[in-house]
Amino acid sequence: AYVSGEYQLNDDFKLVGGFRYENTDVVANSYEFNDTTKEVTPIQGTKNYDAFLPMLHVLYKPSNALDIRAAVTRTFARPAFNEISPSVRVNPTNLTVSAGNINLNPTFSWNYDLIGSYYLNNTDYITGGAFYKDITDLIYTANSQEVRAFDGATDLYNVSTPMNSEKAKLYGFEV
């Protein structure tokens, strides 16, 4: 669902607001594959989540040559298909395990932006802005070690799995 609206306060100020709502329901069927034995084991996982994404933009245009825009938005990014796949690939030759993670949450971000533009003529302009993003559930690849037994031998395997971080921040400026 999506709703948006504009309101012209006066000749210089305009507000644009709205929200988007999305529901995601994942049912993933995959496999655990052993590179040496070629054994395939079926795996299934499910994940369901909602995304409520409000936004508000303020546009200030005191002259034809200058505009200043501010925005507060909430955005999200779904995990990639290979990240949420419940699959596991075991390679006893190089002692590695690659696993997906059906329990990954999408990455959400509150975004705060301020941008100013000065128009020199019809085709040229100078613009600069600053931004700040407050991010939750950023996806990264976690590496760990795990003891596994294969063909009578017990070895230490390197395991790679996508995970969610708790918080992250991103800020900067551009010209």
Side-chain angles (χ1 to χ4, degrees):
Y2 179 78
V3 173
S4 179
E6 291 184 13
Y7 183 71
Q8 191 75 39
L9 293 170
N10 58 37
D11 289 343
D12 297 340
F13 280 98
K14 182 195 297 188
L15 296 176
V16 178
F19 71 88
R20 187 173 91 227
Y21 169 80
E22 294 190 23
N23 173 267
T24 302
D25 189 11
V26 178
V27 176
N29 295 306
S30 194
Y31 303 92
E32 179 172 335
F33 179 73
N34 185 304
D35 281 353
T36 301
T37 65
K38 308 302 183 210
E39 183 179 317
V40 177
T41 306
I43 301 172
Q44 183 183 56
T46 62
K47 180 76 173 182
N48 185 306
Y49 53 87
D50 297 308
F52 182 72
L53 308 166
M55 61 97 165
L56 177 65
H57 298 261
V58 178
L59 292 87
Y60 174 57
K61 191 165 180 66
S63 72
N64 285 338
L66 177 65
D67 68 47
I68 299 170
R69 292 162 277 159
V72 176
T73 58
R74 186 168 190 232
T75 56
F76 86 117
R78 290 180 180 90
F81 290 123
N82 64 315
E83 293 172 329
I84 61 169
S85 170
S87 63
V88 178
R89 184 172 183 142
V90 179
N91 187 327
T93 304
N94 64 10
L95 302 178
T96 60
V97 177
S98 298
N101 183 354
I102 190 66
N103 295 313
L104 279 178
N105 293 321
T107 299
F108 281 91
S109 176
W110 280 102
N111 311 294
Y112 306 90
D113 299 277
L114 180 64
I115 300 169
S117 298
Y118 183 76
Y119 298 88
L120 303 169
N121 54 46
N122 287 339
T123 58
D124 302 310
Y125 64 96
I126 299 169
T127 189
F131 60 89
Y132 174 80
K133 298 178 183 304
D134 187 10
I135 303 167
T136 56
D137 290 322
L138 184 67
I139 297 170
Y140 69 98
T141 300
N143 295 300
S144 62
Q145 294 188 322
E146 171 182 301
V147 175
R148 284 191 168 227
F150 172 72
D151 211 15
T154 301
D155 290 300
L156 189 61
Y157 282 72
N158 293 314
V159 181
S160 299
T161 306
M163 301 292 287
N164 288 114
S165 67
E166 289 184 24
K167 295 268 185 185
K169 294 181 182 352
L170 178 65
Y171 53 89
F173 64 92
E174 55 193 11
V175 177

